[in-house]
Amino acid sequence: MKGLELSKAYYEEFGKPMLEQQFPELLKYIAVGFVGSGSDRYGFDDEISRDHDFEPGFCIFLPGEDVVDRRSAFLLERAYAKLPKEYMGFKRQPLSPVGGNRNGVMRTTEFYGKAVGAPDGRLSPDAWLRIPDYALAESVNGEVFYDGYGEFSAIREGLLHMPKDIMLKRLAGNLLIMAQAGQYNFRRCISHGEAEAAQLACHEFVCSAMKVIFLLRGKYLPYYKWSFRALRQLDTEQKYSEKLASLLGSGSAVEKHKAIEEISAEIICELKNLNITKATCGDLERHAYSVNDSISDGQLRNMHVLTAI
């Protein structure tokens, strides 16, 4: 059983009745879900994942103390702690006395402050430029089971898609890295006899290509160890996943060069279809600068093309 399935079943059987019977007056103020860090929030967990932080549990998100006071929060915490310690053969994790628990009662501001550095989820343009993709992914993954107050879901909705100009700036920078690492430096490294450097160029190309693919689809790339898992789910037509994987393998330089050019051509095709580039060649660097030129905000457009990398 997946962690998300376990969480939802545990909430429906024990959490929901507890809240409805013991805290009916608070139902209109709380949100319940399974969101945040960990493979189980993405549905990527398996038997190996159960060696740590795997348990039947869920999150109860509360608004500020002006809406739900400390005593009510304490009573909720105590009631949550009294829920069954074992469910479907899985044991609850002991609560940490120094915080850091992924489940249980927490303030909405606490969750988003930790996830994206903004308790209300309102990111400045500079924060949007610099926040890692995986942090944004962790702020909107999983599932919200119930939201009576609407605050948690409203913040979540606001973080689901980055502003267009920010997306374009990130896109331009990663396209430029793809061009430099893959279309230019890979071949030069091979020519110099620097096989290790050529492999590093492949790695840079792959990392930026995955970011570009996710940006073009309006999604956030998760933490690196789940990136290919997420890519395979997103790349349903298998335009990219197998070719990108081959670049990290032991194929020949000729095979890798071919894969780089095929991936680049496919991405250029997507850029043209989305009408966010005016370049007409197969050189990703020119497309990177064309994408950057399409940014509406003059100040952002004039920042270095690699600002968001």
Side-chain angles (χ1 to χ4, degrees):
M1 171 175 274
K2 296 285 189 180
L4 180 56
E5 297 170 330
L6 180 67
S7 172
K8 194 166 188 177
Y10 187 71
Y11 163 69
E12 291 289 343
E13 188 166 343
F14 299 109
K16 186 176 181 180
M18 176 269 287
L19 292 170
E20 291 177 344
Q21 294 167 20
Q22 299 181 40
F23 302 95
E25 74 284 359
L26 294 181
L27 287 176
K28 61 183 178 180
Y29 299 122
I30 66 174
V32 181
F34 194 65
V35 182
S37 63
S39 59
D40 48 358
R41 266 64 172 179
Y42 293 98
F44 297 160
D45 52 310
D46 52 26
E47 290 185 7
I48 297 174
S49 310
R50 296 172 188 171
D51 64 346
H52 70 289
D53 294 334
F54 189 86
E55 65 168 343
F58 53 88
C59 307
I60 301 175
F61 301 104
L62 305 179
E65 292 182 17
D66 57 327
V67 180
V68 176
D69 59 28
R70 290 187 182 183
R71 175 165 174 76
S72 296
F74 169 74
L75 293 175
L76 269 171
E77 289 173 354
R78 196 161 70 173
Y80 180 86
K82 290 180 180 179
L83 292 176
K85 298 294 188 291
E86 187 170 334
Y87 183 63
M88 293 189 179
F90 300 103
K91 294 183 179 180
R92 294 258 306 274
Q93 300 288 319
L95 293 175
S96 170
V98 294
N101 298 302
R102 300 190 305 146
N103 295 323
V105 179
M106 63 190 80
R107 300 284 179 181
T108 294
T109 52
E110 175 190 351
F111 173 82
Y112 285 112
K114 181 180 178 181
V116 299
D120 60 0
R122 297 178 182 175
L123 298 176
S124 67
D126 184 65
W128 272 115
L129 284 173
R130 303 185 189 283
I131 189 169
D133 303 79
Y134 72 82
L136 291 164
E138 288 181 359
S139 72
V140 298
N141 65 5
E143 184 177 342
V144 177
F145 306 147
Y146 167 82
D147 191 348
Y149 196 54
E151 178 186 49
F152 186 88
S153 295
I155 296 175
R156 179 181 171 92
E157 184 66 27
L159 291 168
L160 274 173
H161 303 288
M162 65 178 61
K164 184 177 180 180
D165 276 355
I166 300 295
M167 183 277 288
L168 292 172
K169 197 69 179 184
R170 288 189 174 216
L171 185 61
N174 281 292
L175 288 168
L176 185 58
I177 295 296
M178 287 179 67
Q180 292 176 340
Q183 291 187 309
Y184 183 72
N185 281 326
F186 174 74
R187 287 179 296 175
R188 290 182 67 82
C189 290
I190 292 295
S191 298
H192 285 300
E194 296 286 349
E196 297 84 0
Q199 191 56 29
L200 288 175
C202 280
H203 178 267
E204 290 292 314
F205 178 86
V206 168
C207 289
S208 286
M210 285 198 291
K211 290 180 181 180
V212 164
I213 293 163
F214 274 75
L215 284 167
L216 289 174
R217 284 158 179 71
K219 303 289 184 182
Y220 298 129
L221 183 68
Y223 195 53
Y224 73 88
K225 67 178 179 178
W226 303 312
S227 58
F228 265 91
R229 176 75 175 270
L231 176 63
R232 285 191 289 269
Q233 286 188 358
L234 192 68
D235 185 28
T236 55
E237 298 178 7
Q238 294 189 335
K239 292 181 180 180
Y240 300 110
S241 52
E242 291 184 2
K243 291 186 178 72
L244 286 170
S246 73
L247 292 174
L248 300 178
S250 57
S252 69
V254 172
E255 292 171 332
K256 291 185 178 184
H257 173 65
K258 180 182 178 183
I260 286 170
E261 290 304 325
E262 287 177 348
I263 292 165
S264 300
E266 193 65 53
I267 283 176
I268 288 171
C269 183
E270 290 202 37
L271 294 173
K272 290 179 178 179
N273 289 339
L274 291 171
N275 198 30
I276 53 178
T277 181
K278 293 181 179 179
T280 57
C281 62
D283 183 352
L284 279 173
E285 182 171 346
R286 294 193 178 185
H287 289 280
Y289 285 110
S290 181
V291 169
N292 190 76
D293 288 343
S294 71
I295 295 172
S296 299
D297 184 273
Q299 183 176 357
L300 182 59
R301 184 175 60 251
N302 291 330
M303 289 180 180
H304 194 283
V305 68
L306 297 177
T307 294
I309 299 300

